[in-house]
């Protein structure tokens, strides 16, 4: 991915040198032309066309913000309820993600989702220990959300 | 136009103040370290982000000053707050802070066994 972006920058500079105008607009024109060239040549690269990954990252960010707002409404309800009738607990969650930065990102996402907080990660980085504020009625739902997060992260790193 | 913007700025500031207030209520009211951590790390994050966003909009639209430091502060808080919450919870657990009596499950106590088996 980084290689494709670097190539796109170089193509933009080549365009600036060809048209002998060193301004931001000509850089942008060159960048867009280079994007078209890379799109046409995408079968020669080992990984995907990099723009799809940028879109996946943006949709992950939007998911992040949505979950943050949902988490806050959830915490609000828990705190302002007159009776403290929730049942907290720690459960182990097995992740399929391999790289360090993916596990870090997943842990941050889980921490900002409704009612969950990452407590610890096992030495082989396969199991996340998650503290849930209301365990019994949420186990399945939490797993669902988690799978959608994991999928979104895989979409970025694939 | 300015009228609508004023309402948006007011909404952000009030929402941020309200969330921070609820976060501090939660810290007082919830029973143990971990549940308090939930309140502190979530509500306080969004509360401060809302206040900073309101401040940014106010200075940008009313005074015409584009203050990029405030935007950077929002990003930094967004990235560091969950890590802080995680580290506090982890340190509390490993220094032996007890879970609330009504907690139903504790898988973390098996961690050492699991690590020994898989290393």
């Amino acid at each position: 991915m980084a290689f494709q972006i670097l190539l796109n920058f170089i193509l933009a500079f080549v365009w600036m040198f060809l048209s002998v105008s060193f301004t931001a607009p000509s850089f942008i024109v060159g960048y867009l032309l280079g994007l078209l060239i890379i799109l046409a040549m995408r079968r020669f690269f080992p990984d995907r066309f990099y723009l799809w990954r940028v879109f996946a990252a943006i949709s992950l960010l939007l998911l992040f913000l949505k979950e943050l707002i949902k988490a806050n409404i959830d915490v609000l309800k828990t705190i302002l309820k007159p009776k403290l009738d929730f049942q907290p607990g720690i459960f182990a969650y097995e992740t399929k993600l391999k790289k360090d930065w993916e596990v870090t990102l997943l842990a941050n996402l889980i921490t900002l989702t409704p009612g969950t907080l990452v407590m610890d990660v096992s030495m082989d980085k396969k199991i996340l220990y998650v503290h849930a504020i209301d365990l019994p009625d949420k186990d399945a739902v939490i797993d669902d959300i988690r799978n959608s997060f994991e999928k979104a992260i895989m979409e970025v790193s694939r | 136009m300015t009228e609508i913007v004023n309402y948006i700025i007011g909404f952000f500031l009030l929402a941020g103040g309200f969330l921070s207030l609820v976060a501090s209520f939660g810290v007082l009211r919830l029973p143990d370290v971990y549940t308090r951590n939930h309140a502190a790390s979530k509500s306080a994050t969004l509360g401060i982000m809302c206040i900073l966003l309101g401040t940014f909009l106010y200075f940008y639209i009313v005074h015409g000053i584009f203050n990029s430091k405030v935007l950077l502060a929002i990003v930094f808080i967004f990235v560091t707050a969950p890590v802080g919450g995680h580290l506090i919870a982890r340190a509390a657990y490993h220094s032996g802070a007890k879970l609330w009596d009504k907690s139903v499950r504790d898988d973390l106590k098996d961690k050492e066994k699991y690590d020994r088996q898989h290393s």
Side-chain angles (χ1 to χ4, degrees), chain A residues 64-65 68-69 71-72 75-76 79 81-84 86-92 108 111-113 115-124 126-127 129 131 133 135 139, chain B residues 18-19 22 25-26 29-31 34-35 37-39 41-43 46 49 78-79 82-83 85-86 89-90 93-94 99-100 102-108 111 114-115 118:
Chain A
F64 211 174
L65 285 174
L68 183 63
I69 291 166
N72 274 280
V75 169
L76 261 166
I79 293 171
K81 234 194 266 175
K83 254 167 77 184
L84 295 175
F86 49 88
Q87 294 175 305
I90 301 171
F91 67 95
N108 272 3
T111 300
L112 289 178
T113 46
T116 50
L117 200 146
V118 176
M119 300 263 300
D120 212 339
V121 184
S122 69
M123 290 297 238
D124 56 357
K126 274 197 186 126
I127 289 189
Y129 295 95
H131 183 270
I133 203 163
L135 202 50
D139 226 351
Chain B
F18 177 68
L19 282 170
V22 169
F25 269 152
R29 194 159 175 248
L30 292 172
Y34 311 105
T35 43
N37 210 345
H38 275 278
S41 67
K42 281 178 200 125
S43 306
L46 191 64
M49 278 167 65
F78 190 52
V79 172
V83 181
H86 162 69
R90 187 172 187 277
Y93 192 89
H94 287 293
L99 291 163
W100 190 33
K102 285 187 199 155
S103 303
V104 284
R105 213 167 144 189
D106 187 4
D107 287 346
L108 189 50
K111 179 182 180 254
Y114 176 85
D115 281 345
H118 290 81

Side-chain angles (χ1 to χ4, degrees), chain B:
Chain B
M1 181 60 203
T2 356
E3 210 47 32
I4 301 168
V5 165
N6 279 340
Y7 278 115
I8 292 173
I9 293 168
F11 167 76
F12 273 125
L13 291 179
L14 282 177
F18 177 68
L19 282 170
S20 304
L21 185 70
V22 169
S24 48
F25 269 152
V27 171
L28 284 177
R29 194 159 175 248
L30 292 172
D32 67 350
V33 188
Y34 311 105
T35 43
R36 281 177 193 159
N37 210 345
H38 275 278
S41 67
K42 281 178 200 125
S43 306
T45 313
L46 191 64
I48 293 169
M49 278 167 65
C50 278
I51 291 175
L52 285 177
L53 199 61
T55 317
F56 171 78
L57 284 176
Y58 173 75
F59 277 107
Y60 183 51
I61 291 163
V62 180
H63 292 283
I65 303 165
F66 187 90
N67 197 344
S68 52
K69 277 184 214 162
V70 179
L71 289 183
L72 269 186
I74 292 176
V75 173
F76 285 156
I77 286 173
F78 190 52
V79 172
T80 53
V83 181
H86 162 69
L87 284 179
I88 290 170
R90 187 172 187 277
Y93 192 89
H94 287 293
S95 59
K98 287 214 169 49
L99 291 163
W100 190 33
D101 322 331
K102 285 187 199 155
S103 303
V104 284
R105 213 167 144 189
D106 187 4
D107 287 346
L108 189 50
K109 64 177 187 292
D110 302 331
K111 179 182 180 254
E112 278 179 28
K113 207 169 77 191
Y114 176 85
D115 281 345
R116 242 179 284 126
Q117 277 170 5
H118 290 81
S119 59

Side-chain angles (χ1 to χ4, degrees), chain A:
Chain A
M1 178 184 172
F3 173 69
Q4 287 182 32
I5 294 175
L6 183 65
L7 194 64
N8 207 339
F9 266 83
I10 292 171
L11 284 173
F13 276 110
V14 168
W15 175 259
M16 277 159 76
F17 275 74
L18 277 176
S19 54
V20 207
S21 80
F22 302 98
T23 54
S26 80
F27 177 81
I28 293 167
V29 170
Y31 197 88
L32 292 177
L33 288 173
L35 207 61
L36 281 179
I37 291 171
I38 291 176
L39 180 64
M41 302 272 180
R42 67 186 179 280
R43 289 170 65 188
F44 295 99
F45 298 109
D47 40 357
R48 287 188 306 164
F49 180 50
Y50 79 90
L51 214 54
W52 303 149
R53 260 201 217 185
V54 175
F55 287 147
I58 291 170
S59 75
L60 185 65
L61 185 70
L62 292 181
L63 188 72
F64 211 174
L65 285 174
K66 195 189 87 191
E67 291 300 329
L68 183 63
I69 291 166
K70 254 168 68 189
N72 274 280
I73 295 168
D74 227 54
V75 169
L76 261 166
K77 272 191 210 148
T78 313
I79 293 171
L80 296 180
K81 234 194 266 175
K83 254 167 77 184
L84 295 175
D85 54 357
F86 49 88
Q87 294 175 305
I90 301 171
F91 67 95
Y93 174 72
E94 204 163 332
T95 175
K96 284 182 255 111
L97 299 174
K98 298 246 159 54
K99 291 182 200 123
D100 281 1
W101 68 268
E102 292 171 341
V103 177
T104 313
L105 195 58
L106 183 67
N108 272 3
L109 278 170
I110 292 172
T111 300
L112 289 178
T113 46
T116 50
L117 200 146
V118 176
M119 300 263 300
D120 212 339
V121 184
S122 69
M123 290 297 238
D124 56 357
K125 292 163 206 150
K126 274 197 186 126
I127 289 189
L128 299 174
Y129 295 95
V130 183
H131 183 270
I133 203 163
D134 203 357
L135 202 50
D137 60 322
K138 271 209 172 159
D139 226 351
V141 186
I142 284 169
D143 252 23
D144 258 13
I145 297 169
R146 205 67 46 62
N147 282 331
S148 78
F149 280 152
E150 241 185 52
K151 273 214 194 82
I153 292 174
M154 277 175 182
E155 202 65 33
V156 176
S157 68
R158 183 161 56 95

